Structure formats: C-alpha cells, structure tokens
Amino acid sequence: DARVTQTPRHKVTEMGQEVTMRCQPILGHNTVFWYRQTMMQGLELLAYFRNRAPLDDSGMPKDRFSAEMPDATLATLKIQPSEPRDSAVYFCASGPRRGAEAFFGQGTRLTVV
Amino acid sequence: RKEVEQDPGPFNVPEGATVAFNCTYSNSASQSFFWYRQDCRKEPKLLMSVYSSGNEDGRFTAQLNRASQYISLLIRDSKLSDSATYLCVVNAQYNNNDMRFGAGTRLTVKP
C-alpha cells in the first residue's frame, strides 16, 4: 500500500535549534507539497515542488525556513533557528501530476519550547 | 479575501440526517476541486474529486458551480463515523500555485 512517509512523527526542541523534517513521497509522484497546520490558521501551503524543482515557496518565512528535494525520494523542510510560533503539525503530500489529488503523510508534530 | 472559504461550523446533526457544506473560491481560473476529510489528529484524506457535471459516491454527492464559484458536498443518511472535519480544496493552476485548502467545516453526527 503506497503511502507518503514522514519523519520524525513528533519533535520537541528548544527555541533556536535547527529542525529538519523529512518526507518520502509515493514512488512515481512528481509533485510534493509542504503544509503547516495550526488551530488558528488551518492548512497553509508552505512550498511545493514538481519534478524536484521548487515552484512556489511564497508561503514560507524565507529567513528561517528552507525546503529542498535532494532526490526524487526525499523532500526536506528545515527551520533554523526555530521559534515557539513554529509549533504546528507539518504535513508533506505528494501527487501524481499537475492538477491531481494529493496524498498526505501522517505529519510531523513540532513543539518548540 | 481568502482564496478558499468555508463555513467553519460546527454542524451538529442527528444520525440519519442530510447535511450540506458549501465552499467558495476566489480564482475563476481554478481547474480542479476536491473534498478531503480529516479526523482529529490525523492527516487529511481524499474523500472525492468534484467534477463539472457533479458526482456521487454512495451517500456523498459533490457539485460544482463555476458561475458562482462554489462547490458543495451533500451527505445523506449521516452516520456517527461521518463525524470529522471536511476540507474543500481548489487547484488554482495559475502561477504554478496548487492545492489550496479551506479552513474546514467541522461535522459532528450524534446518536
């Protein structure tokens, strides 16, 4: 059963530390999304890639967030330095093609203290 | 104005009731539309795509009104297991931006 895999599932870190979240998209999917979900803001699109190329990262705070796809099987989202307001659930999703539905990973629940 | 807007609810309905959710979108060039379901502390999962002619999947019916820029989801004979948050999703397909989610509508089905 193909699925998007995210690691870690939970992360607690101190303010100022670097956080790296990883995502393995479904094999063969060429579109990868990063979302952040909080109670107040709902699901916010942070960045997305097609064929490993970043197409839009306008939703990300550029000074501290970065997203990359080193290869087709790995997407990363980094926060450096982390702040308490970054506490949220971060979801990765992948899709088979432009305009198609996306399939979500189980998320990384980040707490910055 | 948000790109995708939904009534946050909550909708509290008895078992067996029919309930409908609407979602409006701002970009008239939007091409693809979906409804997702999200259970508490879980990831969103695709419920159904929304096609121009409308489509049905068991107790669920989705419709699209391009002229008024809204999509709807109708749930008939609601079950306790339908309790979840329903997210409207619009694929803008402009400026390479994709997959914008509404904030979700919370549904609770009571015995």
Side-chain angles (χ1 to χ4, degrees):
Chain A
D1 186 23
R3 64 189 315 176
V4 175
T5 303
Q6 288 186 248
T7 55
R9 293 288 309 281
H10 302 273
K11 176 72 175 179
V12 180
T13 192
E14 292 185 345
M15 182 173 62
Q17 297 297 306
E18 177 177 302
V19 175
T20 298
M21 291 169 271
R22 293 178 173 81
C23 168
Q24 181 176 1
I26 293 173
L27 188 64
H29 282 191
N30 70 352
T31 307
V32 174
F33 304 88
W34 281 106
Y35 290 90
R36 174 172 64 184
Q37 187 173 39
T38 62
M39 289 293 291
M40 297 301 294
Q41 298 294 329
L43 266 167
E44 299 174 88
L45 178 63
L46 297 176
Y48 95 93
F49 296 78
R50 181 160 292 125
N51 296 320
R52 295 178 54 203
L55 291 185
D56 184 11
D57 61 2
S58 59
M60 284 198 318
K62 300 290 190 307
D63 56 338
R64 298 184 301 109
F65 284 60
S66 62
E68 295 179 343
M69 277 201 77
D71 61 60
T73 65
L74 176 65
T76 62
L77 180 66
K78 291 186 180 181
I79 308 174
Q80 169 62 20
S82 58
E83 297 181 0
R85 59 180 168 150
D86 301 329
S87 298
V89 180
Y90 291 81
F91 287 107
C92 173
S94 72
R97 61 190 175 279
R98 181 184 176 112
E101 66 274 15
F103 298 86
F104 280 74
Q106 293 179 294
T108 294
R109 187 170 297 273
L110 174 66
T111 302
V112 183
V113 298
Chain B
R1 181 185 174 191
K2 289 185 178 179
E3 291 188 44
V4 183
E5 296 204 59
Q6 294 182 251
D7 181 346
F11 284 64
N12 298 307
V13 302
E15 268 188 295
T18 296
V19 61
F21 309 134
N22 282 340
C23 167
T24 59
Y25 59 94
S26 60
N27 180 16
S28 59
S30 299
Q31 296 294 316
S32 306
F33 308 89
F34 308 93
W35 283 102
Y36 277 69
R37 170 194 169 127
Q38 187 173 25
D39 293 289
C40 187
R41 301 181 74 84
K42 299 285 189 180
E43 72 274 23
K45 293 184 178 178
L46 178 68
L47 179 65
M48 60 195 301
S49 302
V50 185
Y51 302 123
S52 297
S53 56
N55 49 298
E56 190 174 304
D57 182 1
R59 297 181 294 107
F60 299 83
T61 300
Q63 292 194 316
L64 167 64
N65 185 318
R66 286 190 184 273
S68 300
Q69 294 182 205
Y70 76 83
I71 66 173
S72 64
L73 178 68
L74 182 78
I75 306 175
R76 291 183 300 276
D77 188 24
S78 52
K79 314 291 186 190
L80 296 177
S81 58
D82 293 334
S83 297
T85 296
Y86 291 85
L87 300 160
C88 164
V89 186
V90 174
N91 184 320
Q93 288 192 345
Y94 73 100
N95 200 29
N96 285 324
N97 283 1
D98 273 9
M99 302 297 286
R100 299 286 174 169
F101 280 73
T105 299
R106 175 72 191 154
L107 171 67
T108 300
V109 181
K110 298 181 181 297

